[in-house]
Amino acid sequence: MSAISDETEQSFRLSMLLYDTRYRSLTIQVIASIVIMLSLSWLVWNTIQNLQSLGKDFNFGFLTQRAGYDINQRLVEYSSESTHGRAALVGILNTILVAVLGCALATVLGVIAGVLRLSKNWIVARLMGVYVEAFRNVPLLLWILLIFAIMSESMPQPRDFREGGDASMLFGSIAITNRGIYIPTLEWGAGSNILVAVFIASIGGIWAFRRYARKRQEATGEILPVLWVSLGLLILPSALFYFILGRPVSVLYPELGGFNFSGGVHLRNSLIALWLALSLYTGAFIAEIVRGGILAISKGQTEAAFALGLRPGRTMRLVILPQALRVIIPPLISQYLNLTKNSSLAIAVGYMDVRSTLGGITINQTGRELEGMLLLGGFYLVLSLVISGAMNVYNSSVKLKER
Amino acid sequence: MSETHANTVSFVRDTMLPEQEPPVTERGVVKWVRENLFSGWLNSILTLLSLLAVWQILGHILPWFVNSVWSASSLTECRQIRDQVLGSDASSACFAVISDRWQQMLFGFYPNDAYWRPVLALILFGAAIAPVLFMSVPRKLLAFTAAYPFVMYALLWGGTIWGPLMVAAGFGIGYVALGLAGRAAGTLVGILAAVASAVIWWLFLAGPVAGVLASALPIGLEPVPSDDFGGFMLSFIIGITGIILSLPLGILLALGRQSNLFIINKFSVIFIEVIRGVPLIVWLFTASLLLNYFLPPGTNFDLMLRVIIMVTLFASAYIAEVVRGGLAALPRGQYEAADSLGLDYWKAQRLIIMPQALKISIPGIVNTFIGLFKDTTLVVFIGLLDPIGLTNSIRASTDWNGIYWELFVFVGLMFFVCCYGMSRYSQHLERKLRTDHR
């Protein structure tokens, strides 16, 4: 450092680099980039040295090797003969599954709790306050463990569902046991493709009809019976084809056989605990965001809506919430991101997400810490950027249009 | 008009009636209940549903809590006491586990005879943080605040006191260099000289000097290794250190992101986005698995120190975004006013921009702090014994095998008290600093 100050005293040109604001920023940036480059190259150099001394190389070939471990929950085909890459994919899909389920439930819970917290009903508002404060001020990990313990300690065992047992199935079709929840599933027979196509087409029809109805109302003021036509379009064609095709789709109920349930879908305790805890936890934060958003809308808007004769429910739905959305959405995006990242706490209950497969068992088996963590971090980074990018697009579409 | 009146009215009252009570339905409890609980059919349904929920929850929890057993040495003994007093089908909590193991929950495996050290450190922390939090405390205490980190290290980890003293001396040397070089060649050179001299001191001189001093004058406490740290003490240490270190770092990052200097700006953006895009738990695994790869061969430092570094970096990226929001919310005129007063960049930031930006971002900063404190529980995954990790190890002993709820309730309550306290304080701060005279 002293070398620089010596030179600045000798030469006027050089001193301008320090004292002249035109060049000064350049000097600072050059120094900063040299420092950054030096520290980065120091890190990389150390890494190369360490890898060499450990006799390891840096390649991603392990992804094509046989994994040799089982994953109990999978959305795509996987067996212990599959590759590590396939295992990582299963983990990625599991992470995305719990993130999507969690975001959906958290939004519903959050909006309900946020609106109810502003309710005039004293007891409801207080209860929602208790919910929000309890979940916001206690670590998420504790909630996950707590719900997992409730599921696996306090729920009846599958054998209690036998004839004469204490437990009975919910609606005769859902069994809540200490091994998880068994729900009915659909069995797709021959011709079910056509049924699905019809269903999708009728949804398209509803969308087109709603568009037409809105245009018609704007043009002529005539209000078409949207609700009934939509319901009819939703149910009738599908029901018709269902019988024409000879009932291709049937419901498969879980049934007790031997020591456990079979048939239906088995939602594992780990998934349930993670899903519920993530949703309840994030829901509490979303509730505060929704409350803040609603409070940010001027009271005059409510009064204007009342003056037009709108009832409170409609006022909320048609006047307040659409405006509040603009305030709500940006922080909502970061809550979705948080939920997605928090899903990595799956490790606490043994849910096989990407951190457990790629970042856990795979790393342990192959000893590829550097590559594995790099891929894992990269996956979360890309996921975060995609979510925030998609939500920002939506955000800009509901933004106040100023001209 | 008055004529007709006089003719039609035969009698006019000439005394006032005494005030009457409003009807029963329009006063007191009845009115309140009617307006707040049963003002419409929807409201009534909601009220009844809420009452049902409250009844259900309290019905399960209250007997369990009221019948709790507080002194026993194992779960079976707890059950026996319950069977004798209440009968075997009564629901009863066994909080005896807390009274049996509270020392472990608070201090982990820290040596019993040294419990006074973390307690004293916590009390001194109160004294150190007081001048920052409350304006009525004498300003001179700030000197103690600056010295506190070293006091804390010396108290908790023990060992010779010369190590922390020499590290502190590095800051003193940097300060002197800043003064000397700054006066000779300007602020920028001063800062560079200060950083360089402090780094040289820490890397090459502090260790040997501390060694010489320690052998000449061995003062110090019994050293305690980091492995023995645990329980809420661990959460507090990681949380408090992370909070204190991440705030200045976060502010610097926010300034970097707002800066016009291309390289600094882009570097800050990349740093913030990368740190925020990846879950803390992945960073913690990185710290425990990979950090040795990035350091010179043979380096091996404390897992707890690595965790603190990671937590600090993680929190500072979040703080940076919060502070950036505060900076962006300031009207342009404030920056122009600072410029027109002829203040340089750092003076303008320190005197005009930062106080206002930080005031705006208080809720966000405190939220980040609360999140950081809660996230200290994640260290359980890399083998540190935080409160949740301790619940597992308590459950692993034969005495307390199978106990869940009491431990969860205890840990949850401790965290709730701390986090709720922080959020209340932030609301108090917002009210106190409110300058728009509404």
Side-chain angles (χ1 to χ4, degrees):
Chain A
M1 296 312 117
S2 56
I4 294 176
S5 48
D6 284 344
E7 280 169 0
T8 49
E9 276 158 24
Q10 291 160 6
S11 145
F12 177 70
R13 299 292 303 168
L14 271 179
S15 75
M16 271 174 71
L17 285 178
L18 271 183
Y19 301 115
D20 192 321
T21 42
R22 284 170 297 174
Y23 305 115
R24 193 182 189 165
S25 64
L26 213 65
T27 319
I28 295 176
Q29 293 197 61
V30 168
I31 294 177
S33 50
I34 289 173
V35 169
I36 292 169
M37 288 297 168
L38 276 179
S39 22
L40 279 181
S41 55
W42 183 71
L43 291 178
V44 172
W45 172 247
N46 283 332
T47 312
I48 293 170
Q49 290 287 308
N50 282 315
L51 284 177
Q52 249 170 20
S53 66
L54 288 171
K56 286 183 178 178
D57 56 346
F58 185 80
N59 76 53
F60 292 96
F62 70 98
L63 288 176
T64 55
Q65 289 165 10
R66 176 179 173 275
Y69 59 89
D70 276 318
I71 299 177
N72 55 21
Q73 182 188 315
R74 47 187 181 261
L75 296 175
V76 290
E77 203 81 358
Y78 175 83
S79 74
S80 57
E81 296 300 317
S82 308
T83 60
H84 282 295
R86 189 81 177 169
L89 178 70
V90 174
I92 286 174
L93 289 177
N94 281 348
T95 294
I96 293 175
L97 171 75
V98 81
V100 169
L101 286 176
C103 286
L105 186 59
T107 312
V108 173
L109 284 174
V111 171
I112 292 176
V115 172
L116 283 186
R117 208 179 169 188
L118 290 171
S119 154
K120 282 203 197 74
N121 189 321
W122 184 83
I123 191 165
V124 169
R126 285 300 168 290
L127 268 186
M128 289 304 141
V130 169
Y131 158 68
V132 168
E133 293 299 344
F135 273 88
R136 282 201 322 163
N137 289 315
V138 172
L140 171 62
L141 181 58
L142 200 65
W143 288 118
I144 294 177
L145 290 174
L146 191 72
I147 294 179
F148 189 68
I150 290 176
M151 287 300 297
S152 52
E153 298 290 319
S154 307
M155 294 301 158
Q157 294 182 344
R159 61 180 156 87
D160 294 336
F161 286 84
R162 292 221 183 106
E163 292 288 325
D166 310 332
S168 59
M169 289 163 88
L170 232 56
F171 313 117
S173 56
I174 301 173
I176 303 176
T177 74
N178 65 350
R179 294 190 198 172
I181 298 180
Y182 296 85
I183 57 170
T185 181
L186 297 176
E187 196 177 28
W188 305 93
S192 54
N193 295 343
I194 303 173
L195 194 65
V196 172
V198 168
F199 189 70
I200 291 172
S202 54
I203 287 179
I206 291 172
W207 180 77
F209 175 73
R210 293 198 157 213
R211 231 178 115 101
Y212 166 73
R214 194 179 308 133
K215 279 219 174 113
R216 178 84 176 261
Q217 187 181 354
E218 274 166 12
T220 65
E222 185 189 356
I223 299 176
L224 295 172
V226 173
L227 179 68
W228 294 113
V229 175
S230 303
L231 272 180
L233 273 178
L234 189 70
I235 296 167
L236 284 181
S238 303
L240 207 65
F241 271 84
Y242 178 69
F243 288 108
I244 290 174
L245 292 167
R247 307 186 178 194
V249 178
S250 55
V251 182
L252 203 65
Y253 290 101
E255 272 171 22
L256 194 60
F259 293 101
N260 211 338
F261 282 90
S262 59
V265 175
H266 178 198
L267 302 175
R268 280 164 201 286
N269 275 343
S270 49
L271 173 64
I272 302 271
L274 195 64
W275 177 32
L276 284 185
L278 281 174
S279 312
L280 285 166
Y281 184 80
T282 313
F285 287 87
I286 294 180
E288 284 298 272
I289 292 169
V290 170
R291 187 174 74 109
I294 292 173
L295 286 179
I297 304 305
S298 127
K299 184 130 177 50
Q301 297 287 326
T302 317
E303 288 166 348
F306 285 170
L308 288 175
L310 292 181
R311 276 173 276 121
R314 289 206 135 189
T315 306
M316 185 54 96
R317 210 178 69 233
L318 297 175
V319 179
I320 307 297
L321 277 184
Q323 297 187 66
L325 270 188
R326 298 194 182 105
V327 188
I328 290 171
I329 283 177
L332 197 64
I333 298 170
S334 53
Q335 286 306 324
Y336 287 164
L337 285 177
N338 280 347
L339 190 145
T340 309
K341 286 186 288 165
N342 281 336
S343 71
S344 57
L345 289 183
I347 183 179
V349 287
Y351 178 76
M352 296 298 279
D353 72 332
V354 63
R355 209 223 56 79
S356 312
T357 60
L358 174 66
I361 303 176
T362 294
I363 283 186
N364 283 339
Q365 284 191 356
T366 59
R368 299 275 175 191
E369 294 99 349
L370 197 60
E371 295 91 335
M373 294 309 274
L374 216 57
L375 283 179
L376 187 64
F379 162 71
Y380 278 111
L381 197 57
V382 168
L383 194 64
S384 297
L385 294 178
V386 165
I387 293 178
S388 74
M391 294 302 283
N392 279 331
V393 169
Y394 175 69
N395 191 19
S396 59
S397 75
V398 299
K399 200 170 59 180
L400 206 59
K401 307 256 183 330
E402 287 178 77
R403 292 189 178 89
Chain B
M1 286 296 274
S2 57
E3 297 283 309
T4 39
H5 192 68
N7 290 334
T8 51
V9 178
S10 57
F11 171 77
V12 175
R13 186 193 291 278
D14 54 3
T15 54
M16 284 287 286
L17 278 173
E19 272 181 24
Q20 280 197 334
E21 292 255 297
V24 184
T25 52
E26 287 300 319
R27 70 184 141 102
V29 182
V30 180
K31 182 187 179 206
W32 184 88
V33 166
R34 230 171 56 119
E35 283 192 350
N36 287 298
L37 300 181
F38 296 101
S39 60
W41 61 267
L42 181 68
N43 240 346
S44 307
I45 291 174
L46 280 177
T47 304
L48 291 179
L49 281 179
S50 316
L51 284 177
L52 191 72
V54 170
W55 175 256
Q56 281 286 330
I57 294 169
L58 286 186
H60 276 97
I61 291 179
L62 268 188
W64 179 76
F65 193 78
V66 169
N67 295 335
S68 52
V69 178
W70 281 87
S71 62
S73 62
S74 71
L75 190 59
T76 34
E77 202 181 318
C78 241
R79 297 253 162 84
Q80 279 168 6
I81 294 174
R82 178 195 67 184
D83 291 352
Q84 280 168 11
V85 179
L86 304 156
S88 58
D89 55 345
S91 113
S92 151
C94 181
F95 282 107
V97 65
I98 308 295
S99 51
D100 190 40
R101 296 292 187 95
W102 66 272
Q103 289 185 323
Q104 215 180 27
M105 293 295 289
L106 293 186
F107 299 108
F109 296 101
Y110 207 79
N112 281 31
D113 53 346
Y115 281 168
W116 62 272
R117 278 155 59 176
V119 172
L120 183 64
L122 189 65
I123 294 171
L124 288 182
F125 174 72
I129 200 78
V132 181
L133 295 187
F134 304 104
M135 280 300 153
S136 52
V137 177
R139 297 290 88 197
K140 288 203 172 129
L141 259 178
L142 278 171
F144 177 67
T145 309
Y148 178 74
F150 308 102
V151 176
M152 183 186 90
Y153 180 85
L155 267 178
L156 292 177
W157 274 268
T160 167
I161 61 164
W162 294 109
L165 267 182
M166 288 306 111
V167 174
F171 287 101
I173 288 170
Y175 184 73
V176 171
L178 177 70
L180 291 180
R183 210 171 304 144
T187 324
L188 187 66
V189 177
I191 292 173
L192 288 174
V195 171
S197 57
V199 166
I200 290 169
W201 167 261
W202 284 323
L203 283 183
F204 303 110
L205 294 172
V209 172
V212 168
L213 282 170
S215 57
L217 199 64
I219 322 174
L221 293 160
E222 180 93 3
V224 179
S226 301
D227 300 344
D228 291 351
F229 286 49
F232 282 102
M233 184 184 134
L234 185 77
S235 293
F236 273 112
I237 294 174
I238 297 176
I240 289 173
T241 327
I243 286 169
I244 292 173
L245 295 179
S246 66
L247 188 59
L249 202 59
I251 291 175
L252 283 182
L253 278 173
L255 289 177
R257 198 168 181 169
Q258 291 286 86
S259 153
N260 303 323
L261 307 178
F262 179 80
I263 289 175
I264 291 178
N265 182 328
K266 287 293 166 286
F267 179 72
S268 307
V269 170
I270 292 172
F271 181 86
I272 291 172
E273 292 301 334
V274 168
I275 294 265
R276 273 160 41 102
V278 177
L280 177 58
I281 191 166
V282 172
W283 286 122
L284 289 178
F285 275 105
T286 309
S288 80
L289 287 175
L290 290 187
L291 210 60
N292 279 344
Y293 282 140
F294 300 134
L295 297 172
T299 327
N300 190 15
F301 64 93
D302 207 55
L303 185 58
M304 199 164 146
L305 195 57
R306 300 185 197 179
V307 167
I308 289 177
I309 292 173
M310 272 304 167
V311 165
T312 305
L313 291 181
F314 192 76
S316 64
Y318 278 83
I319 298 262
E321 285 300 272
V322 172
V323 174
R324 184 173 74 118
L327 287 174
L330 275 196
R332 183 92 204 109
Q334 296 292 328
Y335 291 88
E336 289 165 352
D339 287 345
S340 71
L341 284 175
L343 297 177
D344 68 15
Y345 180 76
W346 292 106
K347 271 206 180 109
Q349 291 295 344
R350 190 160 55 86
L351 299 173
I352 295 184
I353 309 297
M354 262 312 146
Q356 301 184 64
L358 288 182
K359 192 190 83 181
I360 299 173
S361 32
I362 284 173
I365 291 176
V366 175
N367 273 345
T368 312
F369 285 168
I370 291 176
L372 176 113
F373 186 58
K374 287 187 294 180
D375 281 348
T376 57
T377 53
L378 301 192
V379 300
V380 64
F381 295 124
I382 54 170
L384 293 182
L385 284 174
D386 81 312
I388 290 180
L390 277 171
T391 63
N392 290 332
S393 67
I394 288 175
R395 214 174 291 129
S397 73
T398 45
D399 284 349
W400 298 110
N401 193 358
I403 196 154
Y404 284 94
W405 319 117
E406 291 82 355
L407 292 170
F408 285 152
V409 167
F410 178 66
V411 175
L413 211 60
M414 288 289 279
F415 272 101
F416 182 84
V417 168
C418 296
C419 297
Y420 194 67
M422 268 197 267
S423 77
R424 286 280 127 176
Y425 175 76
S426 94
Q427 285 166 16
H428 158 78
L429 207 59
E430 271 175 71
R431 275 194 301 276
K432 196 179 76 177
L433 296 179
R434 180 176 288 168
T435 44
D436 51 343
H437 303 283
R438 282 192 186 174

